[in-house]
Amino acid sequence: MLRAKITATGSYAPERSLTNYEIEKIINTSDAWITERTGIKERRIAGESQTTSELAYYASIKALAECNLEPDEIDLIIVATVSGDMPFPATACILQKLLDAKNAVAFDINAACSGFIYAMSIANSFIQTGTYKKVLLVGVEVLSKFLDWSDRSTCILFGDGAGAAILEPTNSENGILSTHIYSDGNLWEFIHLPGGGSKNPTSNHTIENKLHYIKMRGNETFKVAVKTLENLVLDTLKFNNLDPAELSLLIPHQANLRIILATAKRLGISMDKVFVNVDKYGNTSAASIPIALDEAVRAGRIKKDDYILLEAFGAGLTWASSLIKW
Ligand code: UT7
């Protein structure tokens, strides 16, 4: 059976790190509160002139170099982002130009924090049907430019970064075993950016009322996330006839350490089987999973034949998971 396999990964985070102590000087918060409630210590912030496609480019060239692929060998580029260079064209098309990937088709998908796994799911189907053979997936965000730095319930959480992966077909048993994607539009208001679209076109009114910034009902989102992810990880293992003990590494979306701890507890696995880097990057939405995956690979945390579970939850609301045999 033909399946997709991740043959390379890459990631990039802007140089500038913003610590909790620095945020203490901007708004009424504290390192102690942020650390205790989220596990975040610092996050990366893109430079004033840095764009989403630029971050995506740096992550992509690392992944391409890793598997000795030339950009013109890529036949599909999918970029998962909610903070693209501009509403259109797709950031994936701008990335295509930066890479000079002239033989690819390129498009974006908007599934927020679940975006990278959504993209994996789409790529997996294209590979299984033989439509495309060499796929570049990127999860990337420059959320810092959409944050209200006077709203302490959101500005402490998010960060910028990019992660990339190359997917190719394989006949072996190792590769993506399953992907699972879900959404519930009834809860779209939990996390959204109201301004700049057809509902609230940019105007003095939208700017004065800060509609160009991310709005989040954090505590309600938190509760739905914990409940949903607990079922998601168990269902994903069950689908693959696997016991939690057979899992080598859980790579969760890095939104909040308390959500990650709750999921690990539900699985009954110890934290040494869970990849955590939320302390360094905060919540980078669609970039969170591919950055974590790349760091886990480079740190030697993933070996051949390991079972890896990816899971994410975010705006939409959306949630998604994937089980991989490495
Ligand atoms: O990636 C997409 C999915 N997103 C998520 O998964 C985010 C999920 N939500 C969260 O991570 C958490 O809800 C937050 C970290 C955003 C907030 O933590 P919480 O424990 O849910 O706090 P809360 O919103 O219930 O607020 C508790 C208190 C409030 O004060 P009062 O009303 O009890 O006096 C807030 O005003 O904490 C206050 N607060 C803060 N205090 C200091 C909220 N933000 C801050 C802050 N510093 N930055």
Side-chain angles (χ1 to χ4, degrees):
M1 179 193 160
L2 201 60
R3 63 172 92 245
K5 183 178 165 65
I6 297 176
T7 53
T9 60
S11 63
Y12 171 79
E15 267 172 42
R16 166 84 169 102
S17 152
L18 181 72
T19 64
N20 293 347
Y21 295 109
E22 288 174 274
I23 299 184
E24 277 182 1
K25 293 179 191 145
I26 309 173
I27 45 159
N28 178 19
T29 189
S30 65
D31 171 61
W33 192 94
I34 302 170
T35 305
E36 191 194 314
R37 297 295 186 116
T38 71
I40 300 166
K41 298 298 285 182
E42 58 183 314
R43 68 287 289 144
R44 300 297 183 87
I45 303 292
E48 223 167 281
S49 63
Q50 263 191 319
T51 57
T52 311
S53 58
E54 185 184 325
L55 270 58
Y57 172 76
Y58 292 135
S60 301
I61 54 173
K62 284 187 191 168
L64 288 165
E66 192 70 29
C67 59
N68 294 314
L69 268 188
E70 293 300 325
D72 62 6
E73 293 178 81
I74 295 292
D75 40 33
L76 172 64
I77 300 172
I78 309 178
V79 171
T81 187
V82 291
S83 55
D85 284 18
M86 48 190 99
F88 68 87
T91 298
C93 292
I94 302 172
L95 174 64
Q96 177 184 17
K97 177 183 159 74
L98 291 175
L99 288 169
D100 196 21
K102 42 186 169 303
N103 297 313
V105 58
F107 61 86
D108 285 358
I109 63 149
N110 175 335
C113 309
S114 313
F116 187 79
I117 303 178
Y118 267 61
M120 275 177 65
S121 180
I122 297 165
N124 193 29
S125 301
F126 274 134
I127 285 175
Q128 284 182 322
T129 56
T131 313
Y132 297 112
K133 290 194 168 58
K134 296 190 189 314
V135 182
L136 168 63
L137 299 185
V138 183
V140 56
E141 303 288 1
V142 179
L143 295 168
S144 62
K145 297 190 187 187
F146 300 90
L147 289 175
D148 176 355
W149 291 95
S150 66
D151 175 5
R152 67 180 184 173
S153 69
T154 52
C155 75
I156 56 140
L157 281 179
F158 297 101
D160 303 337
I166 307 290
L167 265 60
E168 296 181 66
T170 177
N171 285 310
S172 89
E173 276 185 3
N174 299 56
I176 296 172
L177 301 187
S178 68
T179 58
H180 311 265
I181 60 174
Y182 307 91
S183 55
D184 183 358
N186 285 317
L187 303 179
W188 70 263
E189 281 178 279
F190 275 27
I191 318 172
H192 69 289
L193 193 153
S198 62
K199 191 174 171 73
N200 299 296
T202 306
S203 65
N204 287 340
H205 168 82
T206 62
I207 293 169
E208 279 157 17
N209 289 283
K210 298 185 172 185
L211 301 187
H212 51 301
Y213 292 134
I214 294 170
K215 314 286 175 200
M216 186 173 73
R217 281 153 58 179
N219 193 266
E220 287 161 272
T221 306
F222 183 96
K223 286 177 187 153
V224 181
V226 169
K227 214 170 146 209
T228 306
L229 289 172
E230 285 181 355
N231 293 330
L232 179 66
V233 287
L234 290 173
D235 289 349
T236 306
L237 289 176
K238 201 169 162 194
F239 181 88
N240 289 284
N241 293 317
L242 274 188
D243 199 69
E246 294 176 83
L247 202 59
S248 304
L249 192 66
L250 173 69
I251 302 187
H253 169 48
Q254 310 285 316
N256 185 317
L257 184 60
R258 289 187 293 142
I259 299 177
I260 297 173
L261 289 169
T263 312
K265 193 173 169 194
R266 182 63 201 263
L267 275 174
I269 59 170
S270 60
M271 284 304 285
D272 60 334
K273 282 189 168 187
V274 182
F275 193 84
V276 176
N277 64 6
V278 69
D279 51 323
K280 293 195 294 178
Y281 301 114
N283 181 347
T284 59
S285 191
S288 149
I289 293 274
I291 293 175
L293 178 65
D294 182 51
E295 290 198 340
V297 169
R298 285 170 201 270
R301 299 267 312 259
I302 303 180
K303 295 182 185 58
K304 188 173 181 302
D305 296 333
D306 278 356
Y307 287 108
I308 314 296
L309 177 50
L310 314 179
E311 48 89 344
F313 182 92
L317 296 176
T318 58
W319 58 102
S321 65
S322 176
L323 194 84
I324 300 170
K325 185 174 184 186
W326 202 257

